[in-house]
Amino acid sequence: MEKISFRTKARVVDLLGREQIADASSAITEIFKNSVDAQASNIVAHYHTKESILEFSDNGLGMRASDLRDKWLVLATDSRHSKPDSEYLKYASNEQRKNIDKFSPFGEKGIGRLAVASLGSAVLVWTRWGKGKDLQRTMALVFWDLFKFSQFNLDEIYIPFITLGANDKPYDAALLLNEFFIDWLDENKKQINKNSKSYNSISEIEKLSKIVFNSSLKSVNFPIDSMGTSFYIFDTKDEVAEIFRERREIKGEESSASEGMKTFFGFNNHFSGEKPRIEIKPYIDNKEAFNAADAFWIEEDFKEADYEIDLTIDKNGFAKGTFRRFNEIYKYEYQTKDLPARSDYPGTLDLKVGYVLGKVDETSLSSDRHKYFSDKLAEIGALYVYRDGIRVMPYGRDDQDFLEFEYRRNLRSGTYVFSHRRMFGYVGITSNNNPGLKDKAGREGFIKDKYYRGFKHILTEIFKDIALTYLATKPKEEYAAEQKKKDRPFDLEAKEITKEFLQRYKESKKNLEKIKKKFTLEIESLKVNLSDLKSGNIEKISEYMEKLTRIRERFESDSEELIEDIPNLAQPNGKNLASWDSYLSDKQLFETKTNKQLVEFSKQLDSALKKFSDKYLYLQKLDSRLKKQEERLFLNLEVKKSELLSCLDEIQSKRIPSWLKKHKSDIERIVRNPLGDNPALTVVNGEVEDLEKFERALSDQTKLAKVTIEPYWDSILRDIKRMSAAKSMESAIGDLHRELEGLQERELIYVELAQLGLIVEGIDHEYRVLFKQAKEDFKTLNKSFNQNTFKDLESVFESINEKIESLSPLYRAGKRRYETVTGSEIFLFLKERFKDEFEVGLIQVSKSVLNLVWKNTNRSVLYASLINIINNAKYWIDKSPSNPEIRFTIDPKGLVVSDSGPGIAERDKERIFEAYFSRKPTGRGLGLYLSRTALKFHGMDLVLSEIKMKNALDGANFLIMMPKQDEEG
């Protein structure tokens, strides 16, 4: 049998190296990563434009001769998968050793080192390791164009390699390596056909060798004794020049920032404020490159931005942190909903973003600072991604809108306000916390697997939620273009009404703030002039009365301009409804406060008028005020009447004749289309078939009239009759629409709960059979078993039984069981159920609770609710700086459970009893909903007290209301 094996052509290096690396920026980034892996603290990147040489020199640990030969020059080596050997780390500092233990290496694939091949035609590697007598200095020369030749196998390519002695000069060694290479090339180029394109490439290699090593090499710097590695890349590609150019010139377009700024100064995560992993110094022709080298983003830039996002997202997709809008800081928490199919949680993420508005009249910045930020955003703005403090390519580029901000913004800029072009910041990941996020081989971003899909989904949902919650100016204005038209008569009207309502609401919300400011000043002016009422001067009192009347009229007029009801057919979404509730509360508070103040002024005016003016004058003023009030209201009604009459006139004069004409034409056409303008004459002079057509047409006329046309007129007539009876069809439809939505949502919840109850009830039946057998066995064991051990075991089984009993509210087939429950029994149950909490004093029960006696009580439902409230409280008291405590007290209405936690946020008070609402990262949102529903079903209730109750703690105050105390049934 013949033994064969794979052979590798030299061109594989081209395929795995140059042709896999996306561009020069990605290649340079890979070189920087190699320096980080070598524990370098700084690296110099020097571009010699005239000689077309790109030089990299770092101060890392360098490479031994064996490392360069057996690792760097070996493709796909596993050297990065394990820690360096102890000999290699002999001269590593303590900080370098700590970093090796702390961070995973970046070059795990072993191919990124070939990134240098995409930057130029050849590279000279010069590396130093060790100190004193252990110093090793090694050099190798690689001409990358050789790897294009299909004639050579990989192991046939010659790479000159030399280890320098203590007194050898690196420049001389480089010349010697070049001579070795030229000799090898002369011997082997005869394998290549002189007429082929490859032979021309040989000539180019020889030409490059002569130019570089006869003149160009003299311009570079060779570090001598310090540890580290240097790459000298010859005949650089055009992309390198673009990277070092401060601005990129594109024909026919304005100049824009080159990738150089982001490549060199965006490599480290300067956003976080932490010390950079490596300091990068770019030079061009012996001068520092980029005048703005010190102007990359820093942590302080976030403080000036219009918006600032600072979040940590845990492994379950729960985001927590702050969002700042101008000077207002909001505590932000968001639980990502279930991930899409084929997605998974990527691990913990850090998100920090600054955002500057595009228009000067919208931003909080001065015009100078706004220009500064706008220019900076144009050059280096974007959302970057950093792993262990090092940039993940290509995120952060202008064309890498990987979260699709601009796509959503193009759909609805009023809702999805964020633009990729107006933000700066980063997403932070680590090798340990995010092992599933892996780079593509070509360093063109993450592999788009389930972890990347989860990563993208979580970040996208957070940005969408922040925009919708705090920033959106416009709701959804129309259905997606692809949505099919449905024959539902009121959808279009509802859409228009919703649009009009939201526009009016937006204006009304702005006007409310203006009115509040205006009447604050008006009220102050009335306070200042109160002394006029006490002076007895009738003229001043009259002037005060007129001023108060004018202010009241303006207040009433302005208030009427503010909308206060959602039209029946309007269907705003949840976000808009939440904002609407806040607006109504604000409006009602303002109107109540202002009315109260105006009434108080009126009382004082009344007192003055009665005291200093005759009753006739007073009566005159009141009568005048009443008439003005009625005139204003009647005028509003007249306006509405005119609008209605105009609409009716339009229907009577234009619409009805148009409908009638069309329907008459439809009826006539049925006969005349097949038989002509004189159907009867056609039948008389025609054939038998014409008579059949005539009869069918008459039948079709009747059918059209009865089925389509007459019902159309009947429906309009019914609507008009309903209007004449002052009944609003719109109101009725709106009520039915909302009732239907509520019933559909409630049906879904009940179905799920019923399923849950049936499952638990089935388990309960099996459990009771087992428990009955266990009790029989206890009787037998009791005769010979150690008493203490027996009591402990019996106690465990009783506790299990108690927990099963607490599930009884879910059983559909279970009967109601009501009994008398005492405070002492509740205390003993809690003490047994929460032993550890009682021992450390976390749960406190006041003495008054022990005197509680409740008749007609379902014990299981009550106990299950107490367990749920305590478990919730235990979570939230950990979030408060106060001493943790849960306290049970008595109120005339029932049992109070309070805690020392942060309390319930105002915006959540109406929602905590809703199904599936939760602020806990892993909460299901069913605990309080089920507890309240079960308690109500059994004659009790669970409410959140709006005020702190007597003897209760400052956090959340829950009241379990006692059942009716008649005779037990």
Side-chain angles (χ1 to χ4, degrees):
M1 180 184 294
E2 182 181 1
K3 181 180 179 181
I4 62 173
S5 62
F6 283 106
R7 288 181 295 171
T8 307
K9 288 292 184 180
R11 193 167 180 270
V12 73
V13 173
D14 227 33
L15 295 172
L16 295 177
R18 283 194 286 196
E19 295 185 15
Q20 283 292 313
I21 300 299
D23 51 33
S25 180
S26 298
I28 291 172
T29 299
E30 288 304 309
I31 293 172
F32 291 160
K33 287 180 181 178
N34 284 341
S35 293
V36 172
D37 285 343
Q39 305 307 312
S41 60
N42 65 70
I43 182 171
V44 172
H46 193 166
Y47 179 46
H48 304 270
T49 58
K50 184 178 178 181
E51 294 82 4
S52 194
I53 296 177
L54 178 57
E55 168 190 345
F56 293 98
S57 290
D58 70 35
N59 66 342
L61 295 176
M63 291 183 278
R64 297 165 295 190
S66 58
D67 296 323
L68 180 59
R69 181 183 60 248
D70 301 332
K71 295 178 181 178
W72 195 87
L73 290 174
V74 176
L75 297 184
T77 177
D78 62 353
S79 62
R80 299 289 178 85
H81 288 271
S82 56
K83 290 184 179 181
D85 57 79
S86 57
E87 182 193 351
Y88 178 75
L89 297 178
K90 181 177 181 180
Y91 293 100
S93 65
N94 290 333
E95 183 178 358
Q96 288 172 324
R97 292 173 185 268
K98 288 179 182 177
N99 285 338
I100 289 172
D101 292 334
K102 181 178 180 181
F103 299 111
S104 298
F106 289 102
E108 289 187 3
K109 293 181 177 64
I111 298 174
R113 67 196 65 174
L114 295 178
V116 294
S118 65
L119 296 174
S121 300
V123 63
L124 180 68
V125 185
W126 165 235
T127 184
R128 293 86 53 205
W129 174 89
K131 296 179 181 179
K133 63 179 182 179
D134 289 333
L135 178 63
Q136 293 186 31
R137 304 190 302 161
T138 314
M139 187 177 286
L141 176 63
V142 183
F143 281 89
W144 298 113
D145 283 350
L146 282 178
F147 295 93
K148 294 180 179 179
F149 300 149
S150 58
Q151 292 86 350
F152 295 123
N153 289 330
L154 186 59
D155 58 358
E156 294 174 340
I157 296 294
Y158 175 58
I159 298 176
F161 176 95
I162 190 172
T163 300
L164 280 68
N167 298 319
D168 293 334
K169 295 180 180 180
Y171 178 78
D172 295 338
L175 295 178
L176 184 60
L177 289 179
N178 185 54
E179 289 179 13
F180 290 158
F181 173 75
I182 292 299
D183 291 343
W184 175 86
L185 193 60
D186 288 338
E187 291 179 10
N188 289 271
K189 65 183 179 181
K190 58 187 176 183
Q191 297 182 32
I192 303 173
N193 188 334
K194 291 185 178 182
N195 296 320
S196 68
K197 292 182 180 179
S198 299
Y199 197 84
N200 293 332
S201 297
I202 291 290
S203 300
E204 291 297 322
I205 294 173
E206 290 175 329
K207 182 179 177 181
L208 172 62
S209 172
K210 290 177 181 178
I211 293 173
V212 170
F213 290 93
N214 288 343
S215 58
S216 301
L217 196 61
K218 296 177 181 178
S219 63
V220 303
N221 172 52
F222 286 101
I224 304 298
D225 298 322
S226 60
M227 289 195 298
T229 298
S230 302
F231 297 102
Y232 305 95
I233 301 169
F234 308 118
D235 189 27
T236 56
K237 306 302 179 187
D238 292 340
E239 278 188 276
V240 174
E242 288 294 329
I243 290 291
F244 278 84
R245 185 174 296 150
E246 288 202 23
R247 303 201 65 77
R248 182 175 51 197
E249 305 294 336
I250 302 176
K251 189 174 181 180
E253 299 180 16
E254 293 184 5
S255 64
S256 60
S258 77
E259 279 295 315
M261 282 283 289
K262 294 180 180 180
T263 302
F264 296 118
F265 305 113
F267 177 78
N268 293 291
N269 187 0
H270 294 280
F271 298 104
S272 66
E274 298 179 358
K275 180 183 177 182
R277 294 278 301 275
I278 187 171
E279 184 179 355
I280 299 171
K281 297 179 180 179
Y283 289 88
I284 182 168
D285 295 330
N286 298 309
K287 295 179 182 178
E288 189 173 345
F290 303 101
N291 294 328
D294 58 343
F296 197 75
W297 301 112
I298 55 175
E299 191 177 20
E300 285 71 21
D301 288 328
F302 291 107
K303 298 175 183 177
E304 278 195 80
D306 291 322
Y307 308 150
E308 180 184 1
I309 301 171
D310 191 358
L311 303 175
T312 297
I313 304 154
D314 70 13
K315 62 182 181 180
N316 298 311
F318 181 70
K320 183 176 182 180
T322 58
F323 170 71
R324 178 178 60 78
R325 181 177 181 267
F326 301 124
N327 292 325
E328 296 180 78
I329 299 176
Y330 304 93
K331 179 182 177 183
Y332 181 78
E333 293 181 349
Y334 179 77
Q335 176 62 58
T336 308
K337 304 299 184 293
D338 292 338
L339 296 181
R342 297 169 52 244
S343 302
D344 203 347
Y345 291 102
T348 304
L349 308 173
D350 291 324
L351 177 64
K352 193 171 180 72
V353 175
Y355 193 88
V356 177
L357 294 168
K359 297 180 180 178
V360 177
D361 58 350
E362 294 176 338
T363 182
S364 61
L365 299 168
S366 66
S367 57
D368 290 343
R369 294 303 292 169
H370 185 263
K371 183 180 185 306
Y372 162 80
F373 271 93
S374 293
D375 292 344
K376 204 166 180 178
L377 284 166
E379 292 187 347
I380 52 177
L383 185 62
Y384 296 73
V385 179
Y386 290 92
R387 179 193 285 114
D388 295 331
I390 300 300
R391 181 182 174 191
V392 179
M393 293 292 288
Y395 305 113
R397 287 184 177 169
D398 297 338
D399 59 352
Q400 283 297 318
D401 183 12
F402 66 101
L403 296 184
E404 299 178 329
F405 291 107
E406 302 307 325
Y407 168 75
R408 289 192 299 278
R409 187 173 171 82
N410 287 336
L411 292 177
R412 290 190 303 280
S413 61
T415 302
Y416 302 121
V417 299
F418 287 112
S419 169
H420 179 65
R421 303 182 184 95
R422 302 301 303 175
M423 65 173 59
F424 61 93
Y426 75 100
V427 181
I429 65 174
T430 66
S431 301
N432 292 332
N433 292 334
N434 313 93
L437 292 173
K438 298 184 182 297
D439 295 359
K440 294 180 181 177
R443 307 316 196 241
E444 296 173 286
F446 294 126
I447 297 172
K448 295 183 178 179
D449 56 9
K450 61 180 181 179
Y451 298 107
Y452 173 78
R453 287 189 286 271
F455 170 80
K456 181 179 176 181
H457 176 79
I458 289 170
L459 292 173
T460 299
E461 289 302 305
I462 288 171
F463 276 105
K464 285 167 64 176
D465 182 70
I466 291 174
L468 290 169
T469 303
Y470 302 106
L471 306 174
T473 58
K474 276 200 245 177
K476 185 175 182 180
E477 295 181 355
E478 58 185 2
Y479 291 110
E482 68 271 12
Q483 182 177 3
K484 295 181 180 178
K485 287 186 176 181
K486 297 182 180 178
D487 188 20
R488 296 172 61 187
F490 297 100
D491 278 2
L492 186 60
E493 185 178 359
K495 178 181 172 183
E496 289 299 320
I497 291 174
T498 302
K499 181 179 178 180
E500 292 173 6
F501 160 69
L502 291 173
Q503 182 62 35
R504 287 189 61 206
Y505 163 55
K506 178 182 176 182
E507 294 170 359
S508 189
K509 193 175 180 182
K510 289 181 180 178
N511 290 337
L512 176 60
E513 294 305 314
K514 293 179 182 177
I515 294 171
K516 285 165 65 176
K517 291 179 181 178
K518 180 171 74 174
F519 281 98
T520 299
L521 297 175
E522 298 274 29
I523 295 295
E524 286 301 316
S525 71
L526 287 173
K527 287 181 181 178
V528 170
N529 295 328
L530 270 177
S531 58
D532 293 342
L533 299 181
K534 301 176 183 179
S535 67
N537 187 319
I538 296 298
E539 186 177 358
K540 288 189 176 181
I541 293 175
S542 180
E543 289 176 356
Y544 191 93
M545 179 177 174
E546 290 175 359
K547 183 177 182 179
L548 177 58
T549 301
R550 288 195 304 272
I551 291 174
R552 181 183 288 278
E553 287 175 350
R554 284 199 298 270
F555 170 69
E556 291 171 351
S557 175
D558 289 347
S559 295
E560 285 177 359
E561 293 298 317
L562 302 174
I563 60 173
E564 58 184 17
D565 288 312
I566 299 177
N568 286 310
L569 283 182
Q571 299 171 18
N573 60 31
K575 295 287 184 182
N576 287 323
L577 285 174
S579 176
W580 169 258
D581 290 342
S582 176
Y583 157 81
L584 275 187
S585 299
D586 199 9
K587 176 178 177 291
Q588 290 167 2
L589 181 63
F590 162 68
E591 289 177 345
T592 302
K593 180 181 177 183
T594 305
N595 261 320
K596 184 178 179 181
Q597 291 173 319
L598 291 176
V599 169
E600 186 60 33
F601 292 138
S602 295
K603 286 180 181 178
Q604 296 192 44
L605 175 63
D606 186 325
S607 177
L609 285 171
K610 287 180 179 178
K611 185 175 180 181
F612 302 115
S613 180
D614 59 82
K615 290 185 179 180
Y616 177 75
L617 177 61
Y618 182 45
L619 182 63
Q620 253 190 341
K621 297 291 186 183
L622 289 178
D623 188 52
S624 174
R625 180 180 165 196
L626 176 61
K627 286 181 179 179
K628 287 183 178 179
Q629 164 91 349
E630 290 177 345
E631 286 174 359
R632 180 171 53 81
L633 295 176
F634 293 163
L635 180 62
N636 288 343
L637 289 176
E638 288 294 333
V639 171
K640 299 295 181 186
K641 171 193 166 186
S642 298
E643 291 177 355
L644 179 59
L645 288 174
S646 175
C647 185
L648 291 173
D649 182 61
E650 169 80 11
I651 293 172
Q652 183 178 1
S653 63
K654 296 181 181 180
R655 300 293 182 185
I656 291 177
S658 174
W659 297 335
L660 183 61
K661 182 179 179 181
K662 180 182 182 301
H663 289 159
K664 283 182 176 180
S665 175
D666 291 342
I667 291 173
E668 290 174 344
R669 198 164 51 245
I670 288 178
V671 178
R672 285 161 180 76
N673 278 354
L675 297 172
D677 293 336
N678 194 337
L681 182 62
T682 302
V683 173
V684 170
N685 296 331
E687 304 296 332
V688 176
E689 290 82 0
D690 293 325
L691 178 60
E692 291 176 354
K693 290 179 182 178
F694 184 77
E695 294 296 337
R696 278 200 305 272
L698 291 179
S699 175
D700 290 344
Q701 276 184 327
T702 303
K703 184 177 180 181
L704 176 66
K706 295 296 182 184
V707 175
T708 303
I709 295 176
E710 289 179 10
Y712 178 84
W713 287 84
D714 288 340
S715 67
I716 294 175
L717 184 60
R718 281 195 299 272
D719 290 345
I720 293 173
K721 286 180 178 179
R722 189 182 289 108
M723 289 174 61
S724 67
K727 294 180 180 178
S728 170
M729 180 174 63
E730 179 184 310
S731 176
I733 292 170
D735 291 342
L736 287 173
H737 181 83
R738 277 184 277 277
E739 183 179 355
L740 177 61
E741 286 183 342
L743 289 172
Q744 288 173 338
E745 184 177 351
R746 198 177 307 163
E747 179 190 20
L748 178 61
I749 293 171
Y750 288 166
V751 167
E752 293 176 352
L753 292 179
Q755 290 173 332
L756 177 63
L758 290 171
I759 292 170
V760 175
E761 189 172 0
I763 296 172
D764 175 71
H765 173 73
E766 298 173 8
Y767 164 77
R768 291 183 186 281
V769 173
L770 296 173
F771 188 75
K772 182 179 179 182
Q773 181 63 47
K775 290 185 74 173
E776 293 296 325
D777 293 341
F778 274 131
K779 292 178 183 178
T780 305
L781 287 171
N782 192 21
K783 298 174 182 178
S784 58
F785 216 63
N786 178 283
Q787 286 297 311
N788 290 334
T789 304
F790 178 80
K791 286 181 178 179
D792 288 344
L793 185 59
E794 187 177 33
S795 175
V796 169
F797 270 84
E798 288 295 341
S799 178
I800 294 172
N801 187 50
E802 200 170 66
K803 290 177 176 58
I804 294 293
E805 287 290 332
S806 71
L807 295 173
S808 63
L810 296 174
Y811 305 162
R812 296 186 65 195
K815 296 180 179 179
R816 298 188 185 184
R817 290 182 294 173
Y818 301 108
E819 55 188 307
T820 297
V821 176
T822 67
S824 298
E825 291 171 336
I826 294 173
F827 173 73
L828 291 174
F829 165 74
L830 294 173
K831 193 171 182 181
E832 180 64 28
R833 179 66 178 77
F834 298 98
K835 287 182 181 179
D836 295 341
E837 288 80 357
F838 269 89
E839 286 180 5
V840 299
L842 182 68
I843 298 179
Q844 297 291 330
V845 179
S846 69
K847 292 181 179 179
S848 59
V849 173
L850 302 179
N851 300 324
L852 176 146
V853 178
W854 282 5
K855 298 177 181 179
N856 304 325
T857 303
N858 187 304
R859 184 186 302 272
S860 297
V861 170
L862 175 62
Y863 284 7
S865 300
L866 290 174
I867 291 172
N868 183 264
I869 296 171
I870 292 173
N871 287 335
N872 274 345
K874 284 168 62 181
Y875 175 82
W876 290 109
I877 59 179
D878 287 340
K879 308 294 182 182
S880 174
S882 306
N883 290 331
E885 183 182 342
I886 301 170
R887 184 180 296 175
F888 285 79
T889 53
I890 287 294
D891 181 82
K893 295 181 180 180
L895 179 63
V896 179
V897 186
S898 60
D899 62 56
S900 60
I904 309 298
E906 194 66 32
R907 59 177 175 153
D908 294 339
K909 287 183 178 179
E910 295 297 325
R911 303 181 63 192
I912 59 172
F913 293 110
E914 293 178 6
Y916 306 115
F917 175 79
S918 177
R919 289 291 180 191
K920 292 194 288 187
T922 57
R924 292 294 182 187
L926 286 173
L928 291 176
Y929 167 76
L930 288 175
S931 296
R932 187 183 209 182
T933 303
L935 286 168
K936 278 188 171 184
F937 185 75
H938 292 281
M940 296 174 279
D941 199 357
L942 175 62
V943 297
L944 173 69
S945 175
E946 292 289 336
I947 60 173
K948 178 188 171 187
M949 306 196 74
K950 185 178 179 181
N951 298 325
L953 296 168
D954 293 330
N957 281 212
F958 286 99
L959 173 65
I960 300 179
M961 304 186 74
M962 74 172 75
K964 289 184 180 180
Q965 297 298 288
D966 356 350
E967 293 300 317
E968 295 183 20

